[in-house]
């Protein structure tokens, strides 16, 4: 039997290096010991299933162990137990030892591996594999037996577009990878697997296109991923910080997207993508400030209209962040900057307002942010009601009570609408932080304060490099070649694919 | 430098960082300072000084090219020896600290004078120094990216000067010859030269340049760009105010801008003062970086970040004094003369020593 076993192992090849956990190894303890260990480990959980049966003549016991719903029982019966019967027969036949190719064919499972470490056995069980424990054999066989792969591929919810593909990622990285392979049909699409989280043992895939993604960028990403040490990894959003990309910075330094077409586009531009099992969002690296203003739909529209919309987004960003601070600064310190025709109405609207401009703006921003946060957590219809009540009724009441100037209300409304023009929610969070920082600067030191905060922001952005690519690119360093996809999106022209957009060291 | 600098600075960044360092100190008061001595020929004097400075910048770039992967915190020790090299670096470092402080104080004084009368100048000086420290900690790659962004931010405002230029009286620019004696023109030239303080920062940027072969073109281009702007602003101020009036206007460039009205802003000069902060930070940070690297050059065991923080702390303490703007300006006039003579004489000396090393066959270790 051992000889046959060795031959089978030889046929199956080496264990997958990607699944080499860094956890300490737990040695095999024989059939009973292994089973006892697994039972103890899972504490006889109700979904922990053991199907025991005996081999025919000599009474060897076999146990198939799996977690119900993670592994599919009918698939196990079909792909494991039934072939196992043939395997037993073959093992007992005198010809078996000389017929290893037949042994390989007996288990019809697509993936099969030998386990010599009980810790790895535990990990595989939790990943939907079935373990086959055979009396008299110390190693354990593991066969893939994943149950239903989760929800089906559906349309994008947070990145909807009118034109272009509609597919969105799901929570299963294997399916997400297949979606990408459907878009990029080349063997140069490379995938490297990592396992992260001592408790969650989450599969993470690093994806890039060989010869397009710069080697040093891929090496950097690989290095950072391999250095991640964490107990749990529940979502791709954990990785940005874990990979060391400015956990204290308010600026998003990775692009999160649920759209395979967007990931594919970025991969073709030389970036890398990271898929995390259990997360419906891919992480794309590196990104810069300019990427915050782009959406997938930009690539399916007419060049000029997209350019106009992008310019509006940039303008909206500056209005959303700076307008309240500008109001506070101008009204508190620098009336002279405004044209005379505007100064008089501004001053008259301020008459009778009990708060200084800075407090007035701060209170309004606070109310609006609370309202926004409250409406976000409510069901859609109730949220709309809260929006109407907050926006119209509360705004009207505040003005009638003479607590804030109508001009401020206009400024706040423009700022708020401007923040909603941002392509994703993470940028809205950034806008909020910058708005308060700029308000503080403008309230204390007028335009100098606003400028000082902006200078600090620019210095911060200038100091950021994501996988060696400057965050302010293509503005600083100025790259005219990349300007075709910054605010202006150049029309598509016939030319060989393969951008050098992410050259490092610039 | 402990390790080989990564070539990360583009040629255009080389231009923006050099011109950005120059702009901060000169542009606001330059027309008055030069015109008070050189009269109607002020703009020609500025142009002439600029051309000379452009040539000197070429020499500075040539010196930097002798040591392609070392900055001015390293090669003085090779050329002057360890002791004299450190002495020179001490003087150079003190000059950088003074220039940093002066830049901050002048801007702070102007702000207090024109816009925020109640706020003590040291508040602004502290803000500038804090921002400068941030820029320095971004190291040369980050700092040059910042200076490039600041360049894009502040340069468009300068273009507003075109409006008063078209309204000015060109008669004020004539006659060009015989209006003032040569001695006065020379005085005006010396005063104008202060507006070129800081071009030597290229000695610290050069090792990071991606395309060193074309550095001369971009370095002299930066000085010529500054010269073009200076000349244009000076000519506009002379045309717009006339010499007599110009002599009593403290910051003529801002005064020119104060007359311009656009749809949303009545006072472009106020806006200019705010936006100018970004350029001021470029200059102050360049000098703080210079002082930090020179301190490190004197003792290689010092960490860059801690040295920068320590020096900026020292500058913060020095800045907590409400220096009247007139005193700061008077000091800057004296400082400008010292600065120019120190830098140019050092440059010529180093070039001579570098050629001697070459003659002996002892080129720098990088070569």
């Amino acid at each position: 039997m051992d000889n046959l076993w060795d031959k089978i192992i030889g046929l199956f090849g080496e264990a997958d290096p990607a699944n080499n956990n860094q956890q300490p190894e737990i040695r095999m303890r024989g059939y009973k010991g292994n089973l006892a260990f697994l039972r103890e480990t899972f504490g006889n959980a109700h979904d922990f299933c053991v199907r025991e049966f005996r081999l025919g003549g000599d009474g060897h016991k076999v146990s198939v162990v799996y977690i119900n719903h993670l592994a599919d029982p009918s698939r196990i019966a079909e792909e494991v137990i039934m072939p196992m019967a043939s395997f037993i027969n073959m093992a007992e036949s005198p010809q078996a030892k000389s017929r290893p190719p037949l042994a390989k064919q007996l288990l019809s499972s697509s993936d099969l591996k030998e386990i010599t470490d009980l810790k790895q056995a535990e990990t595989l069980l939790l990943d939907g594999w079935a373990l086959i424990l055979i009396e008299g054999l110390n190693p354990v066989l593991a066969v893939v037996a994943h149950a239903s792969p989760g929800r089906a591929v559906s349309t994008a919810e947070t990145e909807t577009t009118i034109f272009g593909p509609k597919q969105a990622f799901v929570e299963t990285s294997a399916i997400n990878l297949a979606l990408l392979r459907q878009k990029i049909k080349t063997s140069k699409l490379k995938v490297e697997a990592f396992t992260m989280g001592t408790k969650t043992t989450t599969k993470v895939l690093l994806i890039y296109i060989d010869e397009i993604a710069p080697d040093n960028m891929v090496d950097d990403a690989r290095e950072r991923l391999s250095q991640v040490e964490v107990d749990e990894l529940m979502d791709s959003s954990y990785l940005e910080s874990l990979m060391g990309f400015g956990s204290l910075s308010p600026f998003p330094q990775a692009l999160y997207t649920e759209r395979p077409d967007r990931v594919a586009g970025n991969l073709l531009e030389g970036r890398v993508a990271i898929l995390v099992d259990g997360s419906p969002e891919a992480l794309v690296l590196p990104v810069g400030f300019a990427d915050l203003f782009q959406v997938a739909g930009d690539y399916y529209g007419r060049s000029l209209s997209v350019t106009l919309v992008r310019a509006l987004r940039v303008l909206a960003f500056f209005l959303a962040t700076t307008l309240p601070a500008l109001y506070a600064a101008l009204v508190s310190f620098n009336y002279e900057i405004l044209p005379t025709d505007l100064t008089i109405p501004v001053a008259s609207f301020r008459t009778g307002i009990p708060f200084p401009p800075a407090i007035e703006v701060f209170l309004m921003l606070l109310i609006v942010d609370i309202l926004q946060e409250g409406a976000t957590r409510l069901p859609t219809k109730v949220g709309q009601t809260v929006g109407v009540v907050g926006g119209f009724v509360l705004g009207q009441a505040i003005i009638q009570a003479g607590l804030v100037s109508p001009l401020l209300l206009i400024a706040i409304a423009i700022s708020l609408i401007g923040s909603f023009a941002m392509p994703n929610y993470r940028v809205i969070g950034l806008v909020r932080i910058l708005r308060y920082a700029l308000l503080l600067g403008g309230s204390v030191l007028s335009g100098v304060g606003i400028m000082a905060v902006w200078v600090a922001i620019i210095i911060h952005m200038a100091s950021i490099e994501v996988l060696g690519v400057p965050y302010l690119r293509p503005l600083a360093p100025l790259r005219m070649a990349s300007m075709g996809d910054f605010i202006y999106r150049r029309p598509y022209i016939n030319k060989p694919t393969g951008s050098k957009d992410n050259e490092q060291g610039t | 430098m402990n390790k080989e600098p990564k070539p990360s600075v583009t040629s255009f960044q080389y231009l923006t960082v050099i011109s950005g360092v120059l702009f901060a100190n000169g542009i606001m008061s330059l027309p008055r300072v030069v015109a008070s001595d050189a009269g109607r020929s002020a703009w020609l004097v500025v142009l002439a000084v600029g051309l000379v400075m452009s040539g000197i910048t070429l020499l500075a770039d040539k010196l930097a090219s002798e040591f392609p992967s070392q900055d001015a915190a390293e090669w003085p020790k090779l050329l002057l020896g360890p002791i004299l090299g450190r002495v020179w670096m001490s003087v150079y470092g003190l000059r950088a600290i003074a220039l940093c402080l002066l830049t901050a104080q002048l801007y702070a004084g102007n702000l207090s004078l024109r816009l925020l009368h109640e706020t003590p100048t040291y508040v602004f000086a502290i803000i500038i120094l804090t921002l400068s420290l941030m820029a320095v900690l971004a190291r040369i790659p980050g700092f040059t990216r910042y200076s490039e962004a600041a360049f894009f931010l502040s340069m468009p405002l300068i273009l507003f000067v075109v409006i008063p230029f078209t309204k000015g009286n060109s008669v004020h620019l004539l006659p060009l010859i015989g209006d003032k004696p040569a001695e006065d023109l020379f005085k005006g030239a010396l005063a104008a030269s202060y507006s070129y303080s800081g071009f030597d920062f290229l000695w610290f940027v050069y090792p990071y340049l991606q395309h060193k072969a074309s550095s001369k073109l971009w370095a002299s281009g930066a000085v010529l760009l500054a010269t073009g702007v200076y000349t244009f602003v000076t000519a506009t101020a002379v045309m717009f105010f006339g010499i007599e009036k110009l002599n009593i206007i403290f910051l003529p460039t801002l005064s020119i801008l104060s007359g311009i009205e656009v749809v949303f802003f009545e006072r472009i000069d106020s806006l200019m003062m705010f936006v100018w902060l970004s350029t001021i930070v470029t200059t102050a940070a360049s000098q703080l970086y210079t002082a930090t690297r020179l301190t490190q050059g004197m003792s290689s065991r010092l960490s860059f970040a801690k040295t920068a923080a320590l020096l900026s702390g020292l500058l913060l303490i020095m800045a907590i004094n409400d220096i009247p703007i007139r005193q700061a300006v008077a000091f800057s006039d004296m400082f400008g003369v010292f600065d120019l003579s120190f830098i140019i004489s050092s440059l010529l000396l180093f070039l001579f020593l570098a050629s001697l090393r070459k003659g002996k066959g002892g080129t720098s270790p990088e070569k």
Side-chain angles (χ1 to χ4, degrees):
Chain A
M1 183 69 92
D2 284 344
N3 194 17
L4 176 63
W5 181 262
D6 290 339
K7 285 181 187 273
I8 293 170
I9 294 311
L11 287 167
F12 292 148
E14 294 174 3
D16 182 359
N19 282 304
N20 283 343
N21 260 328
Q22 294 171 350
Q23 299 164 12
E25 194 173 295
I26 301 173
R27 287 184 177 185
M28 290 291 167
R29 301 166 180 185
Y31 173 76
K32 283 186 181 173
N34 292 345
L35 199 57
F37 172 82
L38 292 171
R39 281 188 199 279
E40 190 185 326
T41 304
F42 287 93
N44 290 321
H46 76 279
D47 58 347
F48 177 79
C49 301
V50 181
R51 288 188 63 178
E52 289 181 281
F53 51 94
R54 283 183 175 275
L55 300 183
D58 61 359
H60 281 205
K61 286 181 185 172
V62 176
S63 291
V64 180
V65 182
Y66 60 92
I67 305 287
N68 205 4
H69 301 301
L70 284 181
D72 183 358
S74 59
R75 189 175 170 187
I76 291 169
E78 189 182 334
E79 294 183 9
V80 178
I81 296 173
M82 285 170 64
M84 278 293 287
S86 308
F87 179 78
I88 293 158
N89 294 336
M90 188 200 73
E92 287 179 343
S93 79
Q95 294 87 3
K97 291 180 183 179
S98 61
R99 294 169 62 198
L102 181 62
K104 187 187 174 187
Q105 292 164 10
L106 287 175
L107 281 175
S108 59
S109 174
S110 59
D111 205 349
L112 179 63
K113 56 176 82 171
E114 175 212 357
I115 308 296
T116 53
D117 171 17
L118 280 173
K119 198 69 198 169
Q120 194 189 355
E122 179 193 333
T123 306
L124 288 173
L125 267 182
L126 290 167
D127 198 28
W129 292 59
L131 301 179
I132 306 165
L133 288 72
I134 305 172
E135 192 179 38
L137 287 178
N138 204 27
V140 172
L141 267 179
V143 288
V144 70
H146 292 112
S148 167
R151 71 181 170 99
V153 175
S154 58
T155 54
E157 285 181 11
T158 58
E159 293 175 271
T160 51
T161 55
I162 297 168
F163 309 110
K166 308 287 185 235
Q167 277 180 331
F169 286 131
V170 293
E171 282 77 7
T172 312
S173 60
I175 294 177
N176 295 343
L177 180 60
L179 290 173
L180 283 178
R181 285 209 184 273
Q182 283 174 5
K183 303 268 177 205
I184 307 170
K185 291 168 184 164
T186 168
S187 58
K188 292 190 189 306
L189 183 74
K190 303 295 178 192
V191 182
E192 295 178 20
F194 297 81
T195 306
M196 291 176 195
T198 51
K199 289 193 173 69
T200 55
T201 56
T202 311
K203 192 196 285 180
V204 175
L205 304 177
L206 172 67
I207 304 164
Y208 58 93
I209 301 179
D210 203 17
E211 294 175 12
I212 293 183
D215 289 343
N216 45 357
M217 182 192 290
V218 176
D219 291 344
D220 193 0
R222 188 185 296 121
E223 174 82 17
R224 285 169 186 271
L225 281 174
S226 62
Q227 284 175 358
V228 171
E229 282 183 18
V230 68
D231 280 346
E232 72 267 14
L233 184 74
M234 307 299 289
D235 189 70
S236 56
S237 57
Y238 285 34
L239 276 177
E240 184 184 349
S241 173
L242 289 171
M243 289 173 77
F245 295 120
S247 49
L248 291 176
S249 170
F251 286 86
Q253 289 169 34
L255 174 72
Y256 298 87
T257 177
E258 59 171 352
R259 296 181 61 103
D261 58 326
R262 201 169 183 199
V263 175
N266 278 293
L267 287 173
L268 289 164
E269 284 178 359
R271 295 185 169 101
V272 300
I274 297 170
L275 291 173
V276 176
D277 212 28
S279 173
E281 279 188 317
L283 198 72
V284 176
L285 293 165
V287 295
F289 184 62
D291 296 300
L292 304 184
F293 303 101
Q294 297 175 1
V295 295
D298 289 353
Y299 298 93
Y300 307 118
R302 304 279 303 168
S303 168
L304 285 179
S305 59
V306 167
T307 303
L308 176 67
V309 171
R310 281 185 179 178
L312 285 175
R313 280 187 211 131
V314 175
L315 178 68
F317 177 80
F318 287 105
L319 285 176
T321 50
T322 316
L323 197 59
L326 212 54
Y327 173 88
L330 293 180
V331 173
S332 304
F333 301 97
N334 299 113
Y335 269 110
E336 84 279 358
I337 292 179
L338 293 172
T340 317
D341 293 345
L342 198 57
T343 310
I344 295 165
V346 169
S348 66
F349 279 129
R350 281 278 308 146
T351 312
I353 306 292
F355 304 115
I359 302 293
E360 185 191 359
V361 179
F362 179 74
L363 284 177
M364 272 311 290
L365 278 182
L366 207 62
I367 290 168
V368 162
D369 277 340
I370 290 170
L371 202 66
Q372 190 184 333
E373 192 59 24
T376 309
R377 305 279 163 255
L378 290 170
T380 315
K381 287 179 182 172
V382 186
Q384 283 174 353
T385 313
V386 171
V388 170
V389 170
F392 289 98
V393 181
L394 196 60
Q396 184 75 12
I398 285 175
I399 287 180
Q400 280 182 350
L403 294 175
V404 299
S405 144
L407 269 180
L408 171 64
L409 211 61
I410 294 170
I412 296 289
I414 292 172
S415 170
L416 201 66
I417 293 166
S419 69
F420 291 142
M422 296 301 104
N424 72 57
Y425 199 75
R426 286 179 174 88
V427 184
I428 297 175
L430 166 71
V431 168
R432 275 188 193 174
I433 293 171
L434 297 188
R435 197 156 47 195
Y436 283 110
L438 287 161
L439 175 62
L440 184 69
S443 306
V444 177
L445 284 171
S446 174
V448 185
I450 295 175
M451 198 59 213
V453 175
W454 265 117
V455 167
I457 291 167
I458 295 170
I459 292 172
H460 173 64
M461 287 197 285
S463 66
I464 298 174
E465 282 186 10
V466 184
L467 298 182
V469 177
Y471 195 66
L472 277 178
R473 192 189 161 103
L475 277 178
L478 186 67
R479 285 273 166 186
M480 295 312 288
S482 304
M483 282 292 178
D485 195 18
F486 174 38
I487 291 177
Y488 168 64
R489 203 222 72 203
R490 73 164 78 87
Y492 299 119
I493 50 170
N494 290 319
K495 67 169 193 175
T497 54
S499 162
K500 291 180 179 176
D501 192 43
N502 289 311
E503 281 172 13
Q504 290 203 44
T506 52
Chain B
M1 233 160 274
N2 296 328
K3 54 184 178 184
E4 193 84 3
K6 186 180 164 193
S8 55
V9 177
T10 63
S11 299
F12 185 68
Q13 284 178 318
Y14 195 51
L15 179 139
T16 56
V17 77
I18 296 171
S19 57
V21 170
L22 301 187
F23 277 135
N25 281 323
I27 198 161
M28 297 295 178
S29 57
L30 179 73
R32 175 185 53 80
V33 171
V34 185
S36 63
D37 290 318
R40 295 179 181 192
S41 307
W43 66 278
L44 267 183
V45 167
V46 171
L47 183 63
V49 169
L51 292 174
V52 172
M53 291 308 295
S54 175
I56 290 170
T57 308
L58 280 177
L59 293 177
D61 184 87
K62 180 172 169 44
L63 177 61
S65 68
E66 296 290 330
F67 305 92
S69 60
Q70 287 180 307
D71 64 14
E74 288 168 348
W75 46 253
K77 286 182 284 187
L78 293 174
L79 294 175
L80 292 174
I83 296 170
L84 273 179
R86 282 181 170 82
V87 171
W88 182 85
M89 286 198 291
S90 309
V91 179
Y92 190 31
L94 287 172
R95 170 258 183 197
I97 287 173
L99 186 55
C100 179
L101 194 63
L102 197 59
T103 305
Q105 288 286 8
L106 279 173
Y107 177 73
N110 285 333
L111 268 180
S112 287
L113 193 71
R114 290 184 72 92
L115 290 171
L116 299 159
H117 315 289
E118 306 291 322
T119 314
T121 56
Y122 64 79
V123 173
F124 302 120
I126 287 169
I127 288 171
I128 293 163
L129 293 172
T130 309
L131 293 171
S132 301
L133 177 63
M134 279 181 71
V136 167
L137 293 180
R139 308 293 178 112
I140 289 293
F143 175 57
T144 48
R145 287 197 286 270
Y146 164 72
S147 70
E148 191 176 9
F151 181 85
F152 292 134
L153 208 61
S154 52
M155 281 311 286
L157 278 178
I158 290 287
L159 295 178
F160 278 107
V161 178
V162 173
I163 299 169
F165 183 81
T166 56
K167 293 177 183 171
N169 188 349
S170 57
V171 173
H172 289 301
L173 298 177
L174 301 168
L176 301 173
I177 303 164
D179 180 43
K180 289 274 182 178
E183 191 184 340
D184 284 348
L185 294 182
F186 184 71
K187 272 187 192 171
L190 270 184
S193 66
Y194 175 60
S195 300
Y196 293 88
S197 276
F199 72 90
D200 46 290
F201 185 61
L202 68 87
W203 287 335
F204 294 90
V205 183
Y206 188 89
Y208 293 86
L209 260 183
Q210 285 177 345
H211 307 292
K212 292 186 169 72
S214 58
S215 66
K216 286 176 182 57
L217 183 73
W218 292 93
S220 57
V223 177
L224 287 176
L225 175 71
T227 304
V229 173
Y230 287 163
T231 308
F232 180 64
V233 168
T234 307
T236 306
V238 172
M239 284 165 65
F240 199 73
F241 296 115
I243 293 299
E244 290 75 22
K245 199 175 171 188
L246 182 59
N247 282 335
I248 55 168
I249 297 173
F250 189 61
L251 298 172
T253 308
L254 285 180
S255 299
I256 296 169
L257 291 170
S258 66
I260 303 168
E261 275 186 46
V262 289
V263 181
F264 289 109
F265 298 103
E266 185 150 309
R267 295 288 300 272
I268 293 288
D269 57 325
S270 300
L271 201 61
M272 178 76 173
M273 279 299 282
F274 299 149
V275 175
W276 208 243
L277 176 69
S278 60
T279 309
I280 294 291
V281 170
T282 303
T283 303
S286 70
Q287 299 313 306
L288 183 58
Y289 182 91
T290 302
T292 305
R293 277 295 299 139
L294 291 169
T295 312
Q296 263 197 308
M298 285 187 274
S299 174
S300 56
R301 275 180 282 180
L302 294 171
S303 100
F304 181 84
K306 284 178 185 169
T307 309
L310 190 75
L311 285 173
S312 62
L314 187 72
L315 282 165
L316 283 177
I317 294 168
M318 291 162 75
I320 303 178
N321 273 318
D322 252 348
I323 301 171
I325 184 73
R326 302 250 169 216
Q327 274 185 27
V329 171
F331 179 71
S332 78
D333 289 345
M334 287 188 299
F335 181 81
V337 177
F338 157 76
D339 182 68
L340 192 71
S341 48
F342 173 72
I343 294 295
I344 293 177
S345 57
S346 300
L347 170 62
L348 295 175
L349 174 68
F350 284 135
L351 275 174
F352 174 68
L353 292 174
S355 68
L356 278 185
R357 276 175 67 87
K358 245 185 187 174
K360 287 177 185 172
T363 51
S364 61
E366 294 71 34
K367 292 184 173 180

